[in-house]
């Protein structure tokens, strides 16, 4: 996730390390803070691999530099966007990193293939934060108001994301039976992260 975010932001233009850190932190939020202890080793790995280059930034001072991707770095970013790992599809924060840079893929069919993988994941057998043995609990089955709130929020988020994905892919939403009390089989659950 971190390496893709580095390559993605640098593909938009050269950046100094501190600005790159700020942008990545804003993208991943408080749930996955980016420390200097993780960012700079990742920058060093990408530099050693020939995927990014450092150039002195004379305008910023003697010890300052800016980072930019090499041609190999751009190719690596595109490959990671074309074929995200399964955990980059199933984990919401990681998927948002993929989504943030997906427009860099020039082929619409490739972008849609990634979105279809996410939609398929969201429409699989629902999961939950809470279980009764192996059975995921629905929000309506949870007495604790805070846990119910977690499930209701996750339900709304999942519905909104699936709607957006279908609209973006030009797909019709599934038809549900309004007579059924729980016509959306995925509504009560949340995707695993």
């Amino acid at each position: 996730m971190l390496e893709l975010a580095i390559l993605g932001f640098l593909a938009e233009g050269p950046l100094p390390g501190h600005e790159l850190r700020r942008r990545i932190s804003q993208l991943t939020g408080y749930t996955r803070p980016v420390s200097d202890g993780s960012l700079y080793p990742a920058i060093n790995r990408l530099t050693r691999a020939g995927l990014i280059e450092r150039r002195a930034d004379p305008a910023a001072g003697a010890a300052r530099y800016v980072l930019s991707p090499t041609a190999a770095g751009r190719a690596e970013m595109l490959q990671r966007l074309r074929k995200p790992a399964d955990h980059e599809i199933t984990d919401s924060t990681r998927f948002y990193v993929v989504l943030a840079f997906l427009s860099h893929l020039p082929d619409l069919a490739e972008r849609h293939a990634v979105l279809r993988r996410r939609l398929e994941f969201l429409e699989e057998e629902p999961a939950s934060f809470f279980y009764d043995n192996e059975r995921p609990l629905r929000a309506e089955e949870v007495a604790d108001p805070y846990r119910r709130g977690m499930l209701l929020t996750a339900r709304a988020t999942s519905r909104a994301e699936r709607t957006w994905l279908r609209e973006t892919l030009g797909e019709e939403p599934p038809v549900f039976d309004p007579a059924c009390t729980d016509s959306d089989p995925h509504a009560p659950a949340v995707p695993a992260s």
Side-chain angles (χ1 to χ4, degrees):
M1 178 186 78
L2 181 56
E3 291 181 356
L4 177 58
I6 291 169
L7 292 170
F9 279 121
L10 294 180
E12 296 171 356
L15 293 170
H18 67 277
E19 177 61 21
L20 181 60
R21 179 179 180 222
R22 185 181 70 78
R23 290 184 188 192
I24 293 171
S25 293
Q26 289 174 334
L27 176 62
T28 59
Y30 68 90
T31 59
R32 303 235 171 113
V34 177
S35 68
D36 288 345
S38 59
L39 177 64
Y40 289 100
I43 289 171
N44 290 333
R45 280 192 308 275
L46 291 170
T47 302
R48 282 192 306 273
L51 301 177
I52 62 174
E53 61 184 4
R54 292 179 199 199
R55 287 190 331 267
D57 184 3
R64 300 290 183 164
Y65 59 89
V66 292
L67 304 164
S68 56
T70 62
R74 289 181 190 279
E76 176 70 17
M77 177 198 65
L78 293 174
Q79 184 57 31
R80 288 181 184 210
L81 291 171
R82 278 184 196 101
K83 304 273 187 208
D86 287 342
H87 66 276
E88 293 171 330
I89 295 294
T90 60
D91 179 280
S92 293
T93 302
R94 290 175 190 268
F95 179 69
Y96 288 159
V97 171
V98 171
L99 197 58
F101 304 108
L102 199 57
S103 64
H104 287 288
L105 278 179
D107 185 352
L108 180 63
E110 290 177 332
R111 293 192 304 260
H112 279 193
V114 172
L115 297 181
R116 276 191 192 88
R117 282 181 62 198
R118 176 69 175 176
L119 183 58
E120 287 169 8
F121 162 71
L122 292 173
E123 292 183 337
E124 286 178 358
E125 181 70 27
S128 179
F129 295 116
F130 310 106
Y131 289 81
D132 179 12
N133 292 317
E134 296 295 316
R135 186 179 65 80
L137 292 175
R138 300 169 17 144
E140 293 75 12
E141 298 173 306
V142 176
D144 183 294
Y146 307 106
R147 289 183 174 194
R148 187 171 48 253
M150 288 174 64
L151 292 170
L152 290 171
T153 301
R155 175 190 298 176
T157 301
S158 179
R159 278 184 180 161
E161 185 177 358
R162 286 182 284 130
T163 298
W164 175 81
L165 286 165
R166 285 186 201 104
E167 287 173 359
T168 302
L169 293 168
E171 296 179 3
E172 293 293 319
V175 177
F176 299 113
D177 180 358
C180 182
T181 58
D182 189 18
S183 58
D184 183 347
H186 306 287
V190 294
S193 292

